[in-house]
Amino acid sequence: MSLGRLGILYYRPFAHFCPLRIQLPINMKKLSLIALLLFCTIGSLFSQDKFRTSGYNIENGLAIKGYDPVAYISQNRAVKGLQNLAYTFAGITYYFATEANLQTFKKNPSIYEPQYGGWCAYAMGVSGEKVEIDPKTFKVVDGKLYLFYNFYFNNTLTTWNKDEKNLAGKADQNWSSLVNKYK
């Protein structure tokens, strides 16, 4: 291969046997730009997947301790999903109680994923900490699922409800900071 004076790449596989030149019209600037964009895109996707699998509240790749994310929003109740109705989205597995819920999730998964990676919304708002949740303690606000810690006589949902607007704003900021660390 040789580079011509106009930035055209010439490929001459048998240059010592045949004087024929094959021209491949490749503009080197465009090729460099495409390679750079491809590299950045792939790198970004890997860092997002890494954050999802290490930054989200999952156990053995399973989210919400096996509860159906669609049921929270469509039925306003916590329903245990079935292992044979599983779906993995961007490295995280969700279980569903019905085939209909599974198909609904597949159409637009981001609508049904819990806020703050499935960590306790109250703790995310107060301190930005990733704290375990009780999947039966939840709240749906404007179609978004918020999960809460509820163990040892400490139900954080009740405290969240007293100052929800303020805590939600802080939780959004704290979660964004966590996500940005992986970019």
Side-chain angles (χ1 to χ4, degrees), residues 37-56:
L37 289 173
L38 184 61
F39 178 74
C40 290
T41 302
I42 290 172
S44 173
L45 291 174
F46 283 131
S47 67
Q48 288 172 2
D49 282 349
K50 182 180 178 189
F51 178 70
R52 286 180 61 81
T53 56
S54 65
Y56 277 48

Side-chain angles (χ1 to χ4, degrees), residues 78-119:
V79 178
K80 192 79 167 158
L82 304 171
Q83 190 171 4
N84 64 323
L85 290 175
Y87 180 71
T88 301
F89 171 67
I92 298 176
T93 301
Y94 293 90
Y95 287 173
F96 300 89
T98 66
E99 180 67 31
N101 284 2
L102 169 60
Q103 296 307 318
T104 299
F105 183 86
K106 284 182 174 181
K107 290 176 187 170
N108 198 346
S110 60
I111 289 176
Y112 299 99
E113 286 194 299
Q115 298 301 295
Y116 317 124
W119 298 106

Side-chain angles (χ1 to χ4, degrees), residues 75-159:
Q75 300 171 25
N76 199 34
R77 58 187 203 121
V79 178
K80 192 79 167 158
L82 304 171
Q83 190 171 4
N84 64 323
L85 290 175
Y87 180 71
T88 301
F89 171 67
I92 298 176
T93 301
Y94 293 90
Y95 287 173
F96 300 89
T98 66
E99 180 67 31
N101 284 2
L102 169 60
Q103 296 307 318
T104 299
F105 183 86
K106 284 182 174 181
K107 290 176 187 170
N108 198 346
S110 60
I111 289 176
Y112 299 99
E113 286 194 299
Q115 298 301 295
Y116 317 124
W119 298 106
C120 174
Y122 173 78
M124 190 60 61
V126 168
S127 63
E129 290 182 71
K130 296 189 266 183
V131 172
E132 283 297 323
I133 52 99
D134 172 5
K136 294 179 183 177
T137 307
F138 70 96
K139 185 172 188 175
V140 177
V141 179
D142 296 328
K144 295 178 181 179
L145 172 61
Y146 298 87
L147 299 167
F148 298 89
Y149 176 91
N150 184 8
F151 300 100
Y152 309 112
F153 309 106
N154 184 9
N155 183 348
T156 60
L157 174 58
T158 56
T159 312

Side-chain angles (χ1 to χ4, degrees), residues 3-15:
L3 188 62
R5 60 187 159 92
L6 298 177
I8 296 175
L9 191 63
Y10 294 102
Y11 179 60
R12 297 178 65 197
F14 305 105

Side-chain angles (χ1 to χ4, degrees), residues 7-28:
I8 296 175
L9 191 63
Y10 294 102
Y11 179 60
R12 297 178 65 197
F14 305 105
H16 54 281
F17 296 119
C18 177
L20 179 66
R21 265 200 232 187
I22 301 170
Q23 290 187 5
L24 298 177
I26 299 174
N27 183 321
M28 295 308 280

